[in-house]
Amino acid sequence: MTRNTNDLKSPRDSRVAEHVDSLPKSGIRDFFELVNSLDDVISLGIGEPDFVTPWHIREAAIYSLERGHTSYTSNLGLLQLREAVCEYVGGRYAVDYDPKNECIITVGVSEALDLLLRAIINPGDEIIYHEPCYVSYSPCIQMAYGTPVVIPTLESDEFALNPDDLRHAITDRTKAILLNFPCNPTGASMPIEKLREVAQIAEEHDLIVITDEIYSELTYDGEHVSIASLPNMKERVVFLHGFSKAYAMTGFRIAYACGPRDLIDAMMKVHQYSMLCAPTIAQEAAVEALTNGEREMEMMMSSYRDRRNVIVRRLNDMGLSCVKPKGAFYAFANITSTGLSCNDFAIALLKEHNVAVVPGTAFGQCGEGFIRCAYATSLDDIQTAMDKMELFVARNR
Ligand SMILES: Cc1ncc(COP(=O)(O)O)c(C=O)c1O
């Protein structure tokens, strides 16, 4: 049977699907267009390491090409990489996964999250997550036909998730909770007692837990504990992690998910019909990162820690209260003492002093009154940016 598609169209039909049409444009798009139109801006805006990928990892990518490794890999990813990932995750996070069927290699954590959401959501299922958060969570849930349910986190709780708020947010449509600690944009981590409570709630309500631990190696105070390692959690947690941040490999687009076999299998179905596999060169570079990358990773981490100490001290000294971030490379400073909205603050600072920071509302409405300053930039630039911000803040008191 042939169907005349024109018959299906009503005058209201748009070429764009409704659930995509209704997505808001990213809150920082206009702002970054302004940043790009100016010269000599010091940017504390970009959430990306300022280090180039360590040379031996780049060399592994070159060697991969030299050997002519230019074909697809298994859909799940190179077994050698899955084995290296599972060994690393077992050693560092104390959770054992089987590389044969509990691990999938993906094109960034971005793809891993998309695969998982598409694999688990029936239309209308609710996914709970905490804000301020990474800008993609809500749109990704919506693009998978889910309903995002937001729990605001507070400066007074050092931006940790309050388990009581989680209890209140759960309904009979709740399918999963999405956690991100250390957190972009707040740098928060979860105190172990709170993490245990969240785990218990997930078990009581039989929820899937999605944990995005992309910043976990960049933990400066205390020890990072993965919720996947807590008792009875392995069977309900999907652990997302990648190479972008800790190994400065954003452009390689390489990451992984570890989790229960049925969920990895479902993710694999979506992956094999959409992406097929992650780039072979990037997979081979990732093997090198896991095998020999520890020393550079520690070096970069220690450099971020020094920068964190400087930026947090400078922000607090100029009267912008800033909780000391426990991880990642972001300082989330409270600017309410200036009386400006976060947008006005960011635009005026940019226009008057050529310093770019991100307005807190880019990460959710509860980010009003805050700015995110990424400290993945040189100490000199951080000091200069802080000098300028200090003048700006003094003038706006
Ligand atoms: C919390 C968080 N998750 C995921 C991503 C995306 O990571 P990837 O480069 O692995 O796709 C980012 C990038 O900034 C992030 O901040």
Side-chain angles (χ1 to χ4, degrees):
M1 183 185 122
T2 54
R3 179 175 278 166
N4 181 347
T5 48
N6 286 335
D7 293 347
L8 299 174
K9 290 202 169 152
S10 77
R12 280 184 313 152
D13 273 347
S14 148
R15 285 153 66 105
V16 178
E18 280 167 24
H19 70 294
V20 175
D21 212 19
S22 61
L23 286 178
K25 291 249 163 61
S26 162
I28 45 179
R29 220 176 104 115
D30 294 344
F31 179 68
F32 274 100
E33 261 167 32
L34 182 61
V35 174
N36 291 335
S37 71
L38 300 171
D39 293 326
D40 300 326
V41 171
I42 298 182
S43 181
L44 306 182
I46 311 287
E48 157 159 64
D50 60 329
F51 295 102
V52 176
T53 310
W55 172 241
H56 64 101
I57 300 176
R58 283 183 275 156
E59 227 174 7
I62 296 166
Y63 188 43
S64 167
L65 282 177
E66 271 180 1
R67 283 181 296 165
H69 292 178
T70 53
S71 14
Y72 297 131
T73 67
S74 134
N75 294 132
L76 280 176
L78 284 174
L79 182 59
Q80 193 196 1
L81 176 56
R82 282 181 278 140
E83 284 170 349
V85 162
C86 292
E87 195 178 321
Y88 179 75
V89 172
R92 188 161 194 126
Y93 303 92
V95 206
D96 289 326
Y97 290 105
D98 184 342
K100 295 220 169 55
N101 46 38
E102 294 180 324
C103 174
I104 182 169
I105 307 300
T106 60
V107 181
V109 166
S110 308
E111 195 220 353
L113 179 66
D114 182 48
L115 294 179
L116 179 56
L117 293 170
R118 287 205 271 161
I120 63 171
I121 290 176
N122 287 309
D125 283 348
E126 295 175 359
I127 309 291
I128 299 176
Y129 64 98
H130 50 96
E131 274 186 358
C133 73
Y134 179 47
V135 292
S136 297
Y137 290 161
S138 178
C140 283
I141 295 167
Q142 291 174 74
M143 284 191 286
Y145 299 101
T147 304
V149 176
V150 176
I151 300 180
T153 57
L154 307 176
E155 188 182 22
S156 53
D157 288 335
E158 298 198 341
F159 298 106
L161 172 64
N162 180 340
D164 288 335
D165 292 344
L166 175 59
R167 269 183 220 286
H168 288 124
I170 293 172
T171 70
D172 50 12
R173 290 310 307 260
T174 307
K175 186 75 178 254
I177 325 165
L178 167 52
L179 304 174
N180 170 228
F181 297 104
C183 177
N184 172 11
T186 60
S189 84
M190 276 290 269
I192 184 71
E193 321 78 58
K194 286 190 174 165
L195 200 63
R196 284 209 184 93
E197 252 188 276
V198 169
Q200 206 183 333
I201 296 168
E203 204 179 348
E204 271 164 35
H205 294 269
D206 193 18
L207 303 178
I208 295 169
V209 179
I210 307 166
T211 180
D212 174 352
E213 301 189 22
I214 193 165
Y215 293 101
S216 51
E217 286 93 347
L218 308 179
T219 294
Y220 313 113
D221 297 326
E223 197 196 339
H224 174 81
V225 176
S226 173
I227 192 165
S229 67
L230 299 183
N232 305 330
M233 279 297 106
K234 192 190 152 189
E235 64 208 55
R236 63 180 64 257
V237 171
V238 183
F239 173 87
L240 309 183
H241 199 357
F243 296 82
S244 288
K245 311 294 173 170
Y247 295 96
M249 290 176 69
T250 46
F252 280 84
R253 310 307 304 126
I254 189 83
Y256 53 90
C258 296
R261 192 173 172 164
D262 59 330
L263 294 182
I264 295 297
D265 208 43
M267 290 172 74
M268 151 79 175
K269 269 198 206 161
V270 184
H271 178 72
Q272 75 183 356
Y273 292 128
S274 49
M275 202 61 71
L276 270 84
C277 67
T280 307
I281 310 162
Q283 293 193 53
E284 297 204 342
V287 171
E288 173 64 20
L290 286 180
T291 318
N292 296 310
E294 185 87 14
R295 197 174 57 82
E296 284 96 340
M297 185 176 76
E298 293 292 332
M299 186 274 293
M300 291 188 268
M301 194 275 266
S302 137
S303 166
Y304 295 135
R305 178 193 275 124
D306 293 345
R307 301 170 193 190
R308 173 197 70 156
N309 293 344
V310 169
I311 199 165
V312 171
R313 181 175 47 73
R314 292 289 313 263
L315 287 164
N316 280 299
D317 283 355
M318 70 179 84
L320 302 183
S321 77
C322 180
V323 173
K324 200 170 196 181
K326 302 226 167 31
F329 36 56
Y330 309 106
F332 204 59
N334 186 327
I335 52 130
T336 48
S337 59
T338 63
L340 296 171
S341 74
C342 62
N343 252 321
D344 290 349
F345 184 107
I347 289 172
L349 180 68
L350 180 65
K351 286 188 172 160
E352 290 169 31
H353 293 283
N354 275 21
V355 173
V357 297
V358 184
T361 46
F363 311 99
Q365 274 319 305
C366 65
E368 183 50 271
F370 294 86
I371 50 164
R372 188 192 77 173
C373 307
Y375 48 88
T377 190
S378 74
L379 255 184
D380 281 352
D381 276 357
I382 289 172
Q383 293 283 23
T384 310
M386 289 300 108
D387 290 344
K388 293 179 173 205
M389 199 185 288
E390 196 169 346
L391 289 174
F392 175 79
V393 168
R395 262 213 319 279
N396 282 284
R397 276 258 153 69

